[in-house]
Amino acid sequence: MHPAPSVIVFTTLSGLGFGLLIWLGLGLPAVTGWVAFAFFAIAYALAVGGLMASTFHLGHPERAWKAFSQWRSSWLSREGVCAVASLLVMAAYGAGLVFFDTRLALLGWVGALLSLATVFTTSMIYTQMKTVPRWNTPLTPALLIAISLGGGALLAGEISAALILFPIAGVLQILWWVRGDGAFAASGTDTATATGLGSIGTVRAFEPPHTGTNYLMREMVHQVGRKHAMKLRGIAFGLGYVLPVALLLVPFSHMLALVAVLAHVAGITASRWLFFAEAEHVVGLYYGKR
């Protein structure tokens, strides 16, 4: 798929924001007053900023509210419901911490679960797409949840948890890449199965269906050379996982913590770009791109 910048921003920032909200809901760190306000401000800026970026990627952003009505069948709708619910619950929970120095533990746990559900439903939007074999695996929600929890732990200052979650996320990332590289071939989908003409002989395209680009080509078909993909994977893995862990292992300082956060965001942004650029949607078969 063509990696739209707004979608990359959404999946990166909102994952971090909701990850931080999960830890805050669990009471970690145990902050109140203006310190709590600062943590919640960061979490909401990331989460809401990501949601806004996703909304403006829609063809008709003004109709975004209609997505909430399809929660019984649409993961996109479930994501919206969970996101709004978690933001409202965490706002009430945060108000108790900031203005009354009171932690309503049950409300925090509910908010944390809703925030986790938001990350999960976001991941399922992609996981359930059988037309993109690379995404259609349980590794997708496992990876996105691990990244969200790890990034949230880093922002929350939960160093011990981050040092456990980042290696787990890094292993899942490698497994996701390795499995994904053979996913399209393993799906058994080719021009013959896509057209249903395989029973009459070898199927090949006589000529491209279009002489120029179109919406499908822009949104669903994107090719990345393997050489460039491997370089980007190295950058994503090094910045997103290795460097933050290395910085967290040395004696703590706020400057190193900031560098770790920036490195992680840059690395995850690169991995998100690859997530979409290497998607290999089956519609590419009709354009001779698979």
Side-chain angles (χ1 to χ4, degrees):
M1 282 187 173
H2 184 77
S6 60
V7 177
I8 296 171
V9 169
F10 162 63
T11 55
T12 303
L13 297 186
S14 67
L16 284 171
F18 283 106
L20 178 54
L21 286 176
I22 292 171
W23 290 100
L24 291 172
L26 297 177
L28 301 169
V31 291
T32 57
W34 289 109
V35 176
F37 177 83
F39 275 99
F40 277 91
I42 293 171
Y44 272 76
L46 293 171
V48 176
L51 291 173
M52 291 298 292
S54 177
T55 300
F56 284 110
H57 178 65
L58 299 173
H60 293 278
E62 72 278 4
R63 302 177 187 172
W65 63 271
K66 293 184 178 181
F68 292 93
S69 65
Q70 305 301 316
W71 60 269
R72 293 183 182 84
S73 59
S74 168
W75 282 106
L76 179 63
S77 182
R78 293 165 188 162
E79 175 203 39
V81 171
C82 287
V84 172
S86 64
L87 292 174
L88 291 175
V89 170
M90 289 302 291
Y93 173 71
L97 291 172
V98 174
F99 300 110
F100 304 102
D101 288 338
T102 301
R103 179 174 180 258
L104 303 173
L106 179 59
L107 197 62
W109 277 89
V110 172
L113 287 174
L114 286 170
S115 298
L116 181 62
T118 301
V119 178
F120 175 72
T121 52
T122 299
S123 70
M124 287 304 298
I125 294 173
Y126 307 105
T127 303
Q128 54 89 30
M129 292 183 64
K130 294 182 179 180
T131 50
V132 185
R134 187 181 291 268
W135 294 349
N136 191 221
T137 169
L139 285 172
T140 299
L143 174 61
L144 296 187
I145 288 173
I147 291 173
S148 179
L149 289 174
L154 179 60
L155 290 175
E158 296 300 316
I159 305 304
S160 297
L163 286 173
I164 295 173
L165 289 165
F166 277 146
I168 292 175
V171 170
L172 288 171
Q173 180 71 84
I174 291 174
L175 292 175
W176 194 87
W177 278 331
V178 172
R179 180 260 171 200
D181 286 342
F184 196 91
S187 70
T189 301
D190 55 22
T191 306
T193 61
T195 59
L197 301 174
S199 60
I200 63 176
T202 302
V203 179
R204 62 182 180 83
F206 178 71
E207 61 182 7
H210 298 279
T211 57
T213 187
N214 57 30
Y215 175 82
L216 291 175
M217 291 287 284
R218 290 193 303 271
E219 293 290 325
M220 304 296 184
V221 181
H222 192 79
Q223 291 180 297
V224 182
R226 181 165 179 78
K227 180 180 179 181
H228 296 296
M230 294 306 292
K231 287 182 179 178
L232 281 173
R233 287 183 185 183
I235 293 171
F237 192 79
L239 292 178
Y241 307 104
V242 177
L243 185 56
V245 169
L247 292 172
L248 294 177
L249 287 174
V250 301
F252 179 82
S253 76
H254 288 93
M255 181 56 67
L256 288 180
L258 176 60
V259 174
V261 170
L262 294 176
H264 177 66
V265 172
I268 298 306
T269 300
S271 72
R272 285 290 189 277
W273 190 89
L274 285 169
F275 182 87
F276 293 102
E278 295 185 298
E280 295 180 309
H281 197 293
V282 295
V283 76
L285 290 167
Y286 291 100
Y287 299 93
K289 303 297 184 181
R290 296 287 176 260

